[in-house]
Amino acid sequence: MSARPQRRGAARRLATGVAVLAAAAGVLTAANPAGADPAGADPAADASAKHRPGRTVDVQLLSFNDLHGNLEPPQGSSGTVTETQPDGTTKAVPAGGVEYLATALRNARKGHEYSVTAAGGDMIGASPLMSGLFHDEPTIEALNKLDLDVTSVGNHEFDEGRAELNRIQNGGCHPKDGCYEDGKTFQGADFPYLAANVTDEKTGKPILKPYTVWQHKGVKIGFIGVTLEGTPGIVTAEGVKGLKFHDEVETINKYAKELNRKGVKSIVALIHEGGLPASSSYDYDCDSPGAGDGISGPIVDIAKNITPKVDALVTGHTHQAYTCTIPDPSGTPRTVTSAASFGRLYTDTTLTYDRRTGDIVRTSVKGANAANHVVNREQPKAPDMTSLIGRWNKLAAPIANKPIGYVSADINGRGSTAYETPLGDVIADAQLEALSPADKGGAQLALMNPGGIRSDLAYKASGSEGDGVVTYGEAFTVQPFTNMMNVIDLTGSQLITALQQQVSGSNEASPKILQVSRSLTYTLDLTKSGKDRIVTDSVKLNGEPIDPAKTYRVAMNEFLAGGGDGFAAFKEGTNKLVGASDLDTFTAYLSAHSSQSEPLDPPKADRITIVK
């Protein structure tokens, strides 16, 4: 790490390698630390304790994940969390916004001398315009002020490639856009990004630090950071060029051994991969024993195979909220957490550190040491974050506040749980309209990946523009990647194969249903499995059955055209024409199809017939 002013006192710092051991070689304090057993307490009073008074100390681990540059409170359903009420009903609670996250974390730290804050990746990327317009420098500045201690990389940290990630870590002005404020040079992150399982293809060495060690008054906790091995399949090829992504379990186990050899026995893994709890409520008991309860998804197998040397897992990527216990290979319960996304929640985990062994004492009580907390908007705003947002908003305002369209009601995209979303239909229609002219590609249908829709179009005003007004900044939040549109030739057979890949292969366990333009209709039969879920005879273009031997012109963004999200069939496309960006097609459509007197209505989202 480059030299930075010390934060939260000189004694509280992160270090790596031999420097950690040298710094930790001093004599431990004899005073009872905060959270330790009180002097003179009877050890027998705690039936589970085998430690004499003063031997253990509670370390507070605060964590969050998938912020995605959401410094301002997210709009629509993206800015709420689901809470289960005592009577079993649920309600949506407004949440998020870095002004409130800062207040929540700072209040949570009070009374905890031993407190460390960590994140599970995707702090940046797919960000709203206020951050994305400035290559996420505002978000890194905010995280520095939040006193974030460490984060793993996520797949979105690679959206702009390795060189830009290095700039985010180390600072310096953008190579093309330069510095954004007179007399100010971007300082970079004063916390380490960890990328243990991402190596240079040529050298085989990690591109960033694989791990780091937090220490305070003799207490040492190692953090290993990884992103999902499948990152190349969900990021543009240019973003991961020259990089190799390795198995999460093998990588974590390797570095856990290395940390142990260096005397670090307490270890937390930061993993940008996650799971799917049985309930969307943040306060769901993930360890409920009922049929169908608990958690599924990739993190389950990962957690079951990571060495017992690792004491807790902070996860992300799926944007879900959970605090679960999953047994490690020795059968001992281990905490696995995720704090949804967009700064709407934070997790507070207690790690009981044994000073004699240097290891974490894991409780046998499931879920006893971790809980998710809502970042509610009823608490005071942090003034330094309000100032930061105001400063960057002023720079973005000339572009962000420009009205480009009007809506009559919320048009749900990211916040919808349906396979086909109203906003997905709007985006696909926009792409078809822009690329259907013969000189623009001659597209007959358009397909949009659901993960590329990052928000809703909310009716309620986000600023002073007025209800129902869609600003450029709000449209950017929906489509922040600025992927270039492609039009390619696909045979009818290849098109049907691509539709089948939505629900088979790597997408079988968690389907990725493409959003379709109005010209395409078909039936999705969920009573069947794998590719049989696509009723091939039902696939029609403008009411006519798809002919397997015929060639069709299909519009999609460059990410999908490159085979992203498991759609290998699209890589077989030929006769490619590159068009405008997805954001440009979206904003042009909103401008052309809405006015103050005739706002755009939410589509019915009835192009895909679902059989359950």
Side-chain angles (χ1 to χ4, degrees):
M1 294 172 64
S2 58
R4 301 272 193 273
Q6 284 288 349
R7 299 175 294 118
R8 284 190 248 157
R12 188 178 182 279
R13 60 191 182 276
L14 285 159
T16 53
V18 178
V20 172
L21 303 181
V27 178
L28 299 182
T29 177
N32 286 324
D37 297 332
D42 181 6
D46 182 355
S48 66
K50 297 180 181 179
H51 315 293
R52 63 177 180 270
R55 177 168 166 177
T56 63
V57 58
D58 285 345
V59 177
Q60 179 189 58
L61 171 61
L62 301 176
S63 58
F64 57 98
N65 51 276
D66 295 276
L67 180 64
H68 290 289
N70 279 266
L71 302 185
E72 296 178 289
Q75 276 198 292
S77 57
S78 295
T80 65
V81 291
T82 302
E83 182 178 78
T84 300
Q85 305 302 294
D87 63 359
T89 61
T90 61
K91 76 171 184 178
V93 179
V98 75
E99 294 162 294
Y100 304 106
L101 178 61
T103 296
L105 293 177
R106 289 163 183 171
N107 285 337
R109 292 177 187 132
K110 291 179 180 177
H112 294 274
E113 182 182 358
Y114 298 82
S115 182
V116 57
T117 304
D122 276 6
M123 294 294 97
I124 60 173
S127 303
L129 185 127
M130 193 199 79
S131 186
L133 186 64
F134 305 107
H135 299 279
D136 280 311
E137 290 181 20
T139 295
I140 297 301
E141 183 182 339
L143 292 172
N144 288 345
K145 290 179 180 291
L146 273 181
D147 285 335
L148 181 63
D149 287 303
V150 58
T151 184
S152 67
V153 294
N155 54 288
H156 282 285
E157 263 81 20
F158 294 93
D159 283 347
E160 295 189 49
R162 173 184 181 177
E164 175 63 4
L165 177 55
N166 282 328
R167 188 185 75 89
I168 289 294
Q169 176 71 86
N170 300 316
C173 296
H174 192 271
K176 291 182 179 179
D177 295 340
C179 299
Y180 298 111
E181 297 177 286
D182 290 340
K184 289 188 178 181
T185 299
F186 176 55
Q187 294 298 301
D190 65 5
F191 51 88
Y193 263 109
L194 304 182
N197 67 330
V198 187
T199 59
D200 183 288
E201 281 185 347
K202 293 180 179 178
T203 67
K205 295 180 179 179
I207 63 167
L208 293 169
K209 293 177 181 178
Y211 61 81
T212 193
V213 180
W214 175 89
Q215 64 171 0
H216 182 58
K217 292 187 177 179
V219 173
K220 295 185 296 181
I221 299 177
F223 289 87
I224 303 169
V226 299
T227 186
L228 70 157
E229 184 182 10
T231 290
I234 53 176
V235 174
T236 59
E238 192 64 28
V240 294
K241 188 176 181 179
L243 304 178
K244 187 170 183 180
F245 292 75
H246 302 268
D247 182 82
E248 304 93 338
V249 172
E250 291 177 4
T251 302
I252 292 170
N253 289 351
K254 168 187 172 181
Y255 286 111
K257 286 182 181 178
E258 185 170 318
L259 282 166
N260 272 196
R261 287 197 302 269
K262 293 183 175 181
V264 180
K265 305 296 183 183
S266 298
I267 301 172
V268 175
L270 307 176
I271 308 172
H272 192 70
E273 179 61 289
L276 302 168
S279 168
S280 61
S281 293
Y282 82 89
D283 51 352
Y284 166 65
D285 181 0
C286 195
D287 294 327
S288 298
D293 278 335
I295 186 171
S296 59
I299 199 62
V300 177
D301 285 338
I302 290 173
K304 286 180 178 179
N305 288 286
I306 287 176
T307 173
K309 291 179 172 65
V310 175
D311 301 293
L313 313 182
V314 173
T315 72
H317 188 55
T318 57
H319 291 204
Q320 302 296 308
Y322 49 85
T323 56
C324 304
T325 48
I326 299 174
D328 68 20
S330 73
T332 306
R334 179 165 55 192
T335 302
V336 180
T337 68
S338 174
S341 61
F342 304 159
R344 295 173 292 165
L345 300 174
Y346 72 90
T347 311
D348 191 334
T349 303
T350 300
L351 303 174
T352 301
Y353 184 90
D354 188 322
R355 288 182 173 280
R356 178 181 293 176
T357 65
D359 206 349
I360 300 298
V361 181
R362 283 201 247 152
T363 175
S364 61
V365 181
K366 286 189 173 184
N369 65 334
N372 275 324
H373 300 276
V374 178
V375 178
N376 69 72
R377 300 180 195 164
E378 297 171 358
Q379 60 192 315
K381 296 179 180 181
D384 58 337
M385 295 300 175
T386 302
S387 176
L388 180 150
I389 289 171
R391 198 177 87 245
W392 286 103
N393 261 337
K394 186 176 180 180
L395 289 173
I399 298 173
N401 295 341
K402 181 183 178 182
I404 58 163
Y406 301 84
V407 295
S408 63
D410 288 355
I411 303 183
N412 288 331
R414 190 71 178 186
S416 174
T417 57
Y419 283 130
E420 180 186 355
T421 71
L423 189 52
D425 286 357
V426 171
I427 291 170
D429 285 349
Q431 295 175 352
L432 177 62
E433 181 169 296
L435 299 166
S436 60
D439 62 339
K440 301 295 183 183
Q444 297 166 277
L445 68 142
L447 301 170
M448 174 66 194
N449 55 307
I453 304 170
R454 305 306 299 185
S455 184
D456 304 331
L457 277 184
Y459 176 78
K460 183 177 175 60
S462 60
S464 60
E465 73 275 12
D467 290 347
V469 179
V470 179
T471 65
Y472 182 83
E474 290 166 344
F476 184 98
T477 299
V478 171
Q479 293 245 265
F481 298 112
T482 319
N483 278 319
M484 302 310 292
M485 292 302 303
N486 290 182
V487 185
I488 57 175
D489 280 351
L490 289 175
T491 65
S493 177
Q494 290 169 328
L495 177 59
I496 289 173
T497 296
L499 294 178
Q500 291 172 333
Q501 287 171 348
Q502 298 175 111
V503 289
S504 62
S506 61
N507 293 329
E508 182 166 3
S510 182
K512 288 187 173 67
I513 305 302
L514 298 168
Q515 306 300 284
V516 298
S517 59
R518 62 169 59 92
S519 54
L520 187 72
T521 58
Y522 70 93
T523 297
L524 179 65
D525 189 347
L526 298 179
T527 66
K528 297 180 180 178
S529 61
K531 66 180 183 179
D532 292 337
R533 290 178 174 179
I534 303 300
V535 181
T536 54
D537 292 344
S538 72
V539 184
K540 296 180 179 180
L541 181 67
N542 297 319
E544 295 293 323
I546 291 291
D547 182 346
K550 190 176 178 181
T551 297
Y552 299 89
R553 293 291 282 165
V554 186
M556 64 191 71
N557 61 46
E558 60 186 328
F559 169 72
L560 276 179
D565 274 351
F567 291 98
F570 292 143
K571 291 196 292 185
E572 300 173 10
T574 58
N575 193 23
K576 181 172 73 172
L577 181 143
V578 178
S581 74
D582 52 7
L583 177 61
D584 286 345
T585 64
F586 182 47
T587 57
Y589 185 87
L590 291 173
S591 296
H593 291 273
S594 67
S595 66
Q596 194 164 11
S597 59
E598 294 184 29
L600 183 68
D601 296 324
K604 293 180 180 179
D606 57 0
R607 300 163 188 181
I608 303 173
T609 301
I610 308 294
V611 178
K612 296 183 179 180

